[in-house]
């Protein structure tokens, strides 16, 4: 097979040209980063687990009629997705106060919110992804009012689905981030969930013990991130068979 052309390398994934002009191959790396890449590590097998977990969530969303870019998983680390024009806004949905919202507003971590709260962050690492309002998004041309309304409705549907999936495995969905992209059909555009949905971009707390089952384990040095992701994948029923999370190793 000819070597594929790399389109972009991000913190946790590499994007390659897909077999058709409207597809992309997403390769999941083992790299973990936090605090805008100020903290970095390689977590053996993380890419394999996130590939499986993102496949699981995206497949479920497609099945219940929430459009996503996901087409199919290709192998342990890669999935085929539709090429989209990513809207430069991270969409965060919160069910329980935590993280930056707790800090900014002085609301104790763990406080249940009376309704899901949606926030938009402008995707720009050099600015540290600042929180923005709908007014900013419209004024600076990142999204129209109609886009934003549709993004909110998509995000709430993803939230309902993910809350249910997590409740089924004894986990509380505290908050999560999604990215949304445009797909063009002639003159029409559709918005779809893009990027990935994985414990890298969610806060997940065990309902019984409040144990953290997400990237905060890495951010706050709470334990072995690989073990935690493997536990989550096992609960979800998507744990890859045997020790296939890492490739062959050279013998010294
Ligand atoms: N999040 C993410 N990528 C980012 C920022 C946030 O995936 O660049 C996720 C994060 O894992 C959490 C949610 O979005 O599930 C809300 O994050 P928050 O704003 O509280 O920021 P943090 O405390 O993670 O810096």
């Amino acid at each position: 097979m000819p070597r594929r052309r790399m389109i972009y390398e991000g913190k946790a994934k590499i994007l390659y040209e897909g077999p058709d002009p409207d597809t992309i191959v997403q390769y999941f790396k083992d790299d973990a980063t936090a605090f805008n890449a100020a903290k970095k590590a390689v977590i053996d097998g993380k890419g394999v687990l996130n590939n499986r977990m993102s496949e699981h969530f995206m497949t479920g969303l497609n099945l219940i009629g929430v459009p996503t870019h996901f087409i199919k998983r290709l192998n342990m680390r890669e999935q085929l997705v539709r090429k989209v024009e990513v809207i430069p806004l991270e969409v965060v949905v919160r069910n329980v106060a935590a993280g930056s919202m707790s800090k900014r507003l002085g609301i104790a971590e763990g406080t249940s919110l009376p309704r899901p709260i949606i926030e938009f962050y402008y995707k720009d690492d050099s600015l540290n992804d600042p929180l923005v309002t709908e007014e900013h998004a419209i004024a600076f041309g990142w999204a129209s009012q109609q886009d934003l309304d549709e993004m909110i409705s998509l995000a709430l549907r993803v939230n309902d689905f993910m809350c249910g999936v997590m409740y089924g495995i004894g986990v509380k969905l505290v908050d999560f981030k999604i990215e949304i992209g445009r797909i063009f059909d002639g003159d029409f555009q559709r918005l779809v969930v893009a990027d990935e949905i994985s414990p890298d971009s969610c806060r997940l707390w065990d309902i019984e013990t409040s144990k953290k089952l997400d990237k905060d384990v890495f951010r706050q040095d709470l334990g072995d991130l690989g073990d935690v992701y493997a536990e989550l994948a096992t609960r979800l029923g998507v744990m890859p068979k045997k020790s296939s999370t890492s490739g062959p190793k050279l013998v010294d």
Side-chain angles (χ1 to χ4, degrees), residues 90 92 94 99-100 121 129 175 177 200-203 219:
E90 298 192 336
V92 168
R94 301 178 185 275
S100 70
Y121 291 83
D129 296 347
D175 58 34
K177 181 263 304 184
D200 272 8
S201 48
C202 301
R203 276 200 177 88
R219 291 191 189 99

Side-chain angles (χ1 to χ4, degrees), residues 60-209:
L61 287 168
N62 283 340
L63 268 170
I64 65 163
V66 179
T68 81
H69 72 157
F70 181 82
I71 301 172
K72 64 174 178 181
R73 185 169 59 81
L74 297 171
N75 55 47
M76 296 294 274
R77 288 186 180 274
E78 294 177 332
Q79 50 183 244
L80 185 68
V81 300
R82 293 276 305 267
K83 191 185 267 180
V84 304
E85 182 185 293
V86 173
I87 295 175
L89 295 168
E90 298 192 336
V91 185
V92 168
V93 183
R94 301 178 185 275
N95 300 301
V96 176
S100 70
M101 195 187 76
S102 284
K103 262 188 229 114
R104 191 180 323 109
L105 302 180
I107 297 171
E109 282 230 344
T111 309
S112 284
L113 302 172
R115 46 177 272 180
I117 291 177
I118 298 187
E119 297 169 343
F120 297 104
Y121 291 83
Y122 180 50
K123 269 167 67 74
D124 186 329
D125 282 343
S126 67
L127 298 173
N128 254 323
D129 296 347
L131 178 68
V132 294
T133 67
E134 294 191 22
E135 294 286 306
H136 295 121
I138 296 165
F140 299 124
W142 304 323
S144 67
Q145 184 66 62
Q146 195 188 332
D147 291 334
L148 293 165
D149 293 345
E150 223 176 297
M151 289 165 78
I152 290 171
S153 130
L154 267 179
L156 288 174
R157 292 180 76 194
V158 173
N159 186 43
D160 283 348
F161 171 78
M162 289 295 292
C163 278
V165 170
M166 290 300 162
Y167 178 71
I169 60 164
V171 172
K172 193 195 281 184
L173 178 63
V174 172
D175 58 34
F176 64 95
K177 181 263 304 184
I178 54 171
E179 302 200 9
I180 292 176
R182 307 174 201 276
I183 285 179
F184 295 97
D185 245 338
D187 283 347
F188 294 96
Q189 69 150 29
R190 278 193 315 132
L191 298 189
V192 302
V193 179
D195 192 46
E196 70 179 274
I197 304 180
S198 77
D200 272 8
S201 48
C202 301
R203 276 200 177 88
L204 304 167
W205 296 351
D206 184 275
I207 291 175
E208 293 286 317
T209 64

Side-chain angles (χ1 to χ4, degrees), residues 7 15 26 54 85 98 124 128 141 147 165 194 221 234 238-239:
I7 299 172
L15 305 183
Q26 284 197 152
S54 198
E85 182 185 293
D124 186 329
N128 254 323
D147 291 334
V165 170
D221 294 316
T234 303
V238 300
M239 184 67 178

